[in-house]
Amino acid sequence: MADAPSGHEPDAGPDEGDPTAGTPSGGERTSDGRAPDGAAAAGAAEGAAEALHLPTWTKVLGWCGVVGLIYLLICAVSIISRGFAGLGGDAAHTMFAFAAHPWVGLSVGVLGTVLIQSSTTTTAIAVTAVGSGALPIEGAIPIILGANVGTTVTTSLVALTFIGDRTEFRRALGASTVHDFYNWLSLLIFFPVELIWHPLERISGTLTDALYGADWLPNPAHFNVVRAATRPVEHAVIQTTSHVSSTLGPLFTIVIGALLILVAVRYLGKLLKLLMVGRARDILIKAVGRDQYLAMASGMGVTVVTQSSTITTSVLVPFAGTGILTPAQVYPVVVGSNLGTTFTVVFAAFAGVGPDARIGLQAAFVHLVYNVFAIVVIYVIPLLRPVPLFCAERLARAASEHRWILALYIGTAFIVLPALVIVLVGVV
């Protein structure tokens, strides 16, 4: 059987540097280093598929389907967030009573955001606690840092939809967990520094003193087009599940959201494989993958519009799973989305009034300054830049071979350890 045509390397782009990419069963090769004949045939078939020109009307319908499925995916993420908020809101408020200790506050930020599925909500609760005098600002800062980490869990749910295919699951998980490890590394660097020297508290206080009372920034809530577009679907699901008990209703909401994600990602992947060839694929890669700082700016801009970093990163996972984008190309978009979500909170804080307004603005500045410092130290300075990507790809490779590793990682890092800290330090 003939080998794949010269110059065509199956899956070379999505798994750059991976010598086993594109081969069946995770990379079998013949004794002379060539891929088996089956892989060569698959490569030839892929090349033939790329050479196929679809009719214009088919492409138009296909892209309409892509837009509709992305809309459904965004709705599903919002639905899951509302479900978790209904299920875990009271628990999160209760946990804040033990958050005065910095390690407990950090754990509350992680676990509370996992329960609520909204770092903005977690931060808002912390700000309210500070404004009421129940929590000092230095107690709110670890919560905000923890919320930055806890918000990454939903993206892994999207990656799980590719679990039936080992290669696609590895790609999708690598792209989704690069957000995790970037935020974990930020926390590892800046949390001890904040405990010792309090730079975030000092800088945010200075910015607040200089800018408090400025009314020239718009409230982003007035311009949230995405939120307005998804609200009818979200409300329809909430109304449907509101007729059962206060516990089962949120659970049903979460299940419906998860099923919608499964449907959206499954068929989005099929359409993208069909449509993202030739020029369409080149345009996307040029927009995201050619210039890392342009990709970062894109991630920031999209997150400011959607007001959710989870939505930005979740939409990219199917592109990574199907091999259109690599985790390395998704990485700067994730970094930009992290920064974009802080601008939303800052803009909203400027619109705040009442006794909590000043402390709310300072908490928002904590989030902003923290993420700016993280970008400079981890991404702009080349020394640490490869670390999150390396860790994400290693986890993805291990989890694609042994699926229980992902469950162990999520359960331990985001639930068990934070809960143990809260119980052992905050309660006992």
Side-chain angles (χ1 to χ4, degrees), residues 67-287:
V67 171
L69 289 170
I70 289 177
Y71 170 77
L72 184 62
L73 178 60
I74 295 172
C75 290
V77 172
S78 300
I79 288 167
I80 287 180
S81 297
R82 285 291 299 271
F84 275 112
L87 188 64
D90 293 338
H93 278 88
T94 302
M95 286 192 296
F96 276 73
F98 306 101
H101 191 284
W103 286 98
V104 176
L106 178 67
S107 301
V108 164
V110 174
L111 187 57
T113 304
V114 170
L115 290 173
I116 300 174
Q117 283 296 289
S118 171
S119 59
T120 303
T121 303
T122 305
T123 303
I125 296 174
V127 170
T128 303
V130 172
S132 65
L135 193 66
I137 183 63
E138 57 267 24
I141 291 174
I143 297 174
I144 295 170
L145 269 57
N148 219 47
V149 172
T151 192
T152 63
V153 172
T154 305
T155 315
S156 297
L157 177 63
V158 180
L160 281 172
T161 59
F162 291 92
I163 200 167
D165 185 291
R166 179 177 296 176
T167 301
E168 292 187 347
F169 179 56
R170 173 169 53 81
R171 295 174 187 149
L173 190 60
S176 64
T177 55
V178 72
H179 196 188
D180 298 32
F181 288 107
Y182 174 81
N183 284 339
W184 282 120
L185 183 58
S186 303
L187 187 65
L188 183 64
I189 294 170
F190 291 104
F191 183 58
V193 172
E194 180 62 25
L195 290 181
I196 300 171
W197 292 292
H198 311 291
L200 298 177
E201 181 182 349
R202 297 176 189 276
I203 295 173
S204 63
T206 301
L207 289 173
T208 301
D209 292 338
L211 297 174
Y212 180 70
D215 56 0
W216 44 271
L217 288 175
N219 186 345
H222 300 159
F223 305 95
N224 195 344
V225 178
V226 174
R227 178 70 172 168
T230 59
R231 188 177 287 116
V233 176
E234 182 183 325
H235 282 183
V237 173
I238 297 298
Q239 286 294 324
T240 302
T241 59
S242 63
H243 301 294
V244 294
S245 69
S246 58
T247 300
L248 289 178
L251 284 175
F252 285 149
T253 301
I254 294 168
V255 170
I256 291 172
L259 290 174
L260 289 177
I261 285 180
L262 182 64
V263 171
V265 174
R266 178 180 178 84
Y267 290 102
L268 185 60
K270 291 181 181 295
L271 280 177
L272 290 174
K273 284 181 178 179
L274 183 65
L275 296 170
M276 293 300 294
V277 294
R279 182 169 178 78
R281 181 175 182 143
D282 291 342
I283 290 173
L284 180 65
I285 292 176
K286 183 180 293 185

